[in-house]
Amino acid sequence: MKKLAVLLALLVGMAGLLAASVPARVLRVCSDPNNLPFSNQRLEGFENRLAELVAREMGAEVSYTWWAQRRGFLRGTLNAGKCDVVMGIPASYELALATRPYYRSTYVFVTRRGLRVRSFDDPVLRRMQIGVQLVGDDYANAPPAHALAARGVVGNVHGYSVYGDYRQESPPAAVVEAVAHGDVDVAVVWGPLAGWAAQRYRAQAGVALEIVPVSPQIDLPFLPFVFDIAMGVRRGDTKLKEELDAILERRKPEIEALLDEYGVPLV
């Protein structure tokens, strides 16, 4: 019996050593370190929390490569092999292999309480100061600016860089801050950013902001304002895509609750 006890102890010890020698699986994620509500280096964004949820399902640990989300982001990160997944891309994006969408959201009008705008065709827009986000130095990459310009609403439009001042927390939120401070009357903003920022200003400064989905959802001839958002993996990595697809389907209720917590308007 004594020999058996010693043998069992040795076997348990060897099993422990073998388990310790097997490295944990790693989910390598590329994210922006200062881009709330999506991600930041303190792991406070909903994409950070989604990465943790997915990693738990995979039996993995999350490892981040931090990279400011600018032009060339995917080229310098995912497609350069620095990571295996990006947590939020348009589902139709051609530079990556997209998973099934895990949410669908829309651009929204953001106003202070009592100044609601319902449509790009609303005549009140001609009398309002309007904030839109710009990707470059012109309006070429800003769908809301295109929609306004097509209706002759130009002189009262104010541009805010989508990159913002990177020294500030959540630089893109400056356009919503402009509404909260009264610098503009209305802003046309991507819904997840607007919903989270509105929650923040209500909690921190008691400023109530109205969030209304833009109309139409697709402007003529073809200018969409509603987008499906997915995770992105490298093209050809179908095995990881399929694993992520299964997790997104299985954990759909938890993911929707997470998005609701951050004020993401779902379509």
Side-chain angles (χ1 to χ4, degrees), residues 23-46:
R25 187 179 181 187
V26 176
L27 179 65
R28 300 192 305 152
V29 178
C30 284
S31 286
D32 192 313
N34 184 22
N35 191 31
L36 288 177
F38 308 100
S39 63
N40 72 0
Q41 207 158 0
R42 297 192 299 273
L43 310 183
E44 296 170 331
F46 69 77

Side-chain angles (χ1 to χ4, degrees), residues 135-218:
V135 177
D137 295 329
D138 53 32
Y139 292 168
N141 294 304
H146 277 298
L148 293 167
R151 292 161 172 79
V153 180
V154 177
N156 54 335
V157 175
H158 305 269
Y160 292 80
S161 172
V162 72
Y163 305 132
D165 182 351
Y166 210 67
R167 296 169 297 181
Q168 305 296 319
E169 183 181 84
S170 185
V175 67
V176 182
E177 182 178 346
V179 178
H181 291 172
D183 298 327
V184 297
D185 301 310
V186 58
V188 194
V189 187
W190 176 231
L193 173 63
W196 169 82
Q199 285 185 344
R200 185 174 68 165
Y201 290 123
R202 185 182 301 113
Q204 293 181 354
V207 177
L209 299 176
E210 298 275 359
I211 303 291
V212 176
V214 302
S215 176
Q217 289 188 354
I218 300 178

Side-chain angles (χ1 to χ4, degrees), residues 50 53 100 102 246-261 266:
L50 179 60
L53 183 157
R100 59 177 294 144
Y102 66 93
I247 293 171
L248 292 174
E249 174 64 22
R250 190 163 61 246
R251 295 302 180 187
K252 184 177 180 181
E254 293 98 318
I255 294 170
E256 289 182 347
L258 173 63
L259 296 169
D260 182 66
E261 181 182 337
L266 300 178

